[in-house]
Amino acid sequence: RYYHLGGAGNVAYSIRRLGGTPLFYTVLGGRPNSKTFHGLLTNKKLLSSFCLTEETRDISLKTRLVADNRILLRLDEDYDAPISADTSNRLYSHFRYNMDDIRCVVVSDYQKGCIGQDLFERIKKICFARNIRLLVDSKSSWDFSGIFLYKPTAAELEKLLGRKLAGINETIECGMRFKQEQEIENLVITLDANGLIYLDDSNMAYHIPSACKAPVDPTGAGDSMMAAMAVCVANGIPIDAAVRFSNEVAAFSCEWMG
């Protein structure tokens, strides 16, 4: 049995592997899954001093049964209880007082209870005030207005719009309308094996095919993509080049198990 960082932990570790220096903020618990996760953070040499604890809390565990380099079965144990208001305030305080030299902020929200609407609004407000670019990968229906980049999957966009999207052209059309209504600077819609759609800050649309030639395990590809975009943005690389590079990174991550 092998354990790997998942979710936002995978984003932070991927940023580190790509040469960035992530400050990772989350809330763990006192139960076994959380203790295993904290041990992985230590082993990966990630800064974990910003990981708060609620003793009764735990984190989700996703198990893959693998044979001959193929995933046979997926078992998910989800934990999505919201953190307390006090913990949310403490998490924001840690974030607010450690923003010196921060070049961009990534919010990875998987609806597991760590980030609520109020905390997100506070993060967004301080990023705007300090002119820090905010990149968001979220399953929640928040107010994304004004953020630098939002990365939903096609299914997540359909949920936000309340309708099914038939093909790439309709996804571009509806995505562009959503982007303009929300006043989002850049929108990246991931399409699984069909690559991604990139709607840029001048409202031009691009369909970028997947670069994956021999997919083995797509788990965490979106996290790798988000990490790559964050590292590029933090280092001043133009966003169009960052999106294309992140597509290559995501493809590479799909060609390996784990």
Side-chain angles (χ1 to χ4, degrees), residues 22-250:
L23 301 181
F24 180 46
Y25 297 83
T26 192
V27 181
L28 303 178
R31 298 180 181 178
N33 289 344
S34 288
K35 292 179 179 179
T36 299
F37 190 92
H38 195 279
L40 288 172
L41 291 178
T42 302
N43 290 339
K44 302 297 185 183
K45 296 181 172 58
L46 288 169
L47 295 176
S48 58
S49 57
F50 308 115
C51 297
L52 304 184
T53 300
E54 285 186 345
E55 283 302 321
T56 59
R57 186 175 179 78
D58 206 354
I59 61 172
S60 299
L61 176 66
K62 296 184 177 183
T63 302
R64 307 288 186 271
L65 301 182
V66 178
D68 296 327
N69 220 30
R70 294 176 54 202
I71 298 176
L72 304 180
L73 184 65
R74 168 176 170 163
L75 302 171
D76 290 355
E77 303 172 43
D78 275 336
Y79 186 91
D80 58 5
I83 60 176
S84 68
D86 176 67
T87 300
S88 181
N89 288 334
R90 288 193 296 125
L91 189 62
Y92 176 73
S93 293
H94 280 286
F95 172 76
R96 181 163 59 95
Y97 287 116
N98 291 281
M99 295 193 71
D100 292 343
D101 301 321
I102 295 298
R103 298 180 186 174
C104 76
V105 170
V106 177
V107 172
S108 296
D109 164 55
Y110 306 87
Q111 289 187 326
K112 303 304 180 186
C114 187
I115 304 177
Q117 175 74 48
D118 179 68
L119 179 56
F120 175 70
E121 286 295 332
R122 295 167 80 182
I123 292 171
K124 187 171 78 165
K125 183 177 180 180
I126 196 170
C127 285
F128 288 176
R130 298 192 177 213
N131 199 29
I132 295 174
R133 288 176 167 178
L134 178 59
L135 289 69
V136 179
D137 182 1
S138 173
K139 296 182 181 296
S140 298
S141 302
W142 292 335
D143 175 12
F144 301 111
S145 60
I147 67 172
F148 179 72
L149 185 142
Y150 174 47
K151 186 189 75 66
T153 65
E156 289 165 355
L157 182 62
E158 287 177 338
K159 184 178 179 180
L160 286 170
L161 298 176
R163 56 170 293 185
K164 287 289 186 180
L165 299 174
I168 290 174
N169 289 336
E170 187 174 16
T171 302
I172 289 174
E173 179 183 348
C174 294
M176 187 68 76
R177 189 179 305 120
F178 172 79
K179 172 184 177 296
Q180 292 171 343
E181 289 172 352
Q182 288 278 319
E183 298 181 343
I184 297 168
E185 289 189 49
N186 299 277
L187 183 66
V188 175
I189 307 165
T190 57
L191 307 171
D192 295 326
N194 292 318
L196 61 85
I197 291 169
Y198 169 45
L199 308 179
D200 71 10
D201 56 3
S202 59
N203 292 322
M204 295 293 292
Y206 306 89
H207 173 228
I208 304 174
S210 172
C212 185
K213 305 302 181 186
V216 174
D217 181 8
T219 306
D223 298 331
S224 298
M225 177 178 287
M226 203 66 179
M229 284 192 286
V231 171
C232 288
V233 168
N235 284 280
I237 294 173
I239 186 60
D240 58 334
V243 170
R244 295 179 186 279
F245 173 70
S246 69
N247 186 53
E248 298 282 344
V249 171

